[in-house]
Amino acid sequence: MLRLFVIVLAAGLYALAVSASQGADPRAGKRPPALDFRMKTLAGKEVDLASYQGKVLLVVNVASKCGLTPQYQQLQALHEKYAKEGLAVLGFPCNQFGQQEPGTADEIQEFCRVNYGVSFDLFGKVEVNGPGACGLYKYLTSVETKPQGPGKIRWNFEKFVIGRSGEVVARFDPKTRPDDPEVIKVIEAELAKE
């Protein structure tokens, strides 16, 4: 009888533990929501954004045939200046604005390398607005940030700064250059945090 009681008690405790774990948020205590995505590089390699945890990220939707395309030069300069301090520039090609990123992954990679010497991380082409928007951009555009709040991406080269904590700390308009003093101020402030 005691043995049956112990078996029933153990089964009940196990069921309770399983039930509690199924209701738990799988991200709780693991990683910030901005880093809770897997994205493919231009080469097709899947990257867990959690691998950037502890770094300051500058996330930018990019395009090769846009009037703002020369911003690649400032993005590369930021990468060269601050990468050793913990900045990672992440470029996400997007063809949603005036069809200004029509190239294949190889064409995009070659264009960026030849014209701007890009060596920061470039990812596969994504959608940033609408029902086909990738999860990362659905999240980024939902967050209350300064100086620009939540809402859809307005054009190529919109910028998000994600701090070392993994929280989105700033969002900048496409026409705000990557080397604008306000962008630099936010990046340097986040890099100074340990």
Side-chain angles (χ1 to χ4, degrees), residues 27-173:
R27 294 185 308 210
K30 291 185 181 176
R31 59 178 113 178
L35 303 179
D36 200 16
F37 299 95
R38 292 182 173 275
M39 306 296 292
K40 290 196 176 187
T41 66
L42 278 178
K45 178 185 173 195
E46 189 171 88
V47 173
D48 186 343
L49 295 187
S51 65
Y52 292 100
Q53 195 156 357
K55 293 188 177 285
V56 175
L57 306 181
L58 181 60
V59 177
V60 187
N61 61 303
V62 295
S64 301
K65 299 185 182 298
C66 176
L68 300 175
T69 300
Q71 287 189 20
Y72 269 124
Q73 186 173 0
Q74 293 103 44
L75 292 169
Q76 180 60 27
L78 288 177
H79 168 70
E80 291 171 7
K81 182 174 182 178
Y82 294 107
K84 288 182 181 172
E85 294 179 45
L87 176 69
V89 178
L90 309 182
F92 290 89
C94 178
N95 196 37
Q96 285 187 288
F97 304 102
Q99 305 297 297
Q100 295 179 344
E101 188 53 271
T104 65
D106 288 341
E107 290 168 339
I108 294 166
Q109 185 74 50
E110 182 70 6
F111 172 85
C112 291
R113 186 186 60 77
V114 168
N115 293 291
Y116 297 101
V118 168
S119 60
F120 58 83
D121 295 340
L122 289 170
F123 289 82
K125 212 183 289 190
V126 298
E127 289 189 14
V128 297
N129 287 333
C134 69
L136 172 63
Y137 271 89
K138 285 181 182 177
Y139 176 75
L140 292 174
T141 57
S142 72
V143 177
E144 182 62 50
T145 55
K146 292 184 178 171
Q148 183 182 327
K152 67 183 190 174
I153 302 294
R154 291 187 276 173
W155 201 253
N156 302 309
F157 291 90
E158 192 144 336
K159 298 147 203 76
F160 293 86
V161 178
I162 299 172
R164 289 190 191 273
S165 67
E167 299 300 316
V168 181
V169 296
R171 178 179 179 176
F172 294 96
D173 181 270

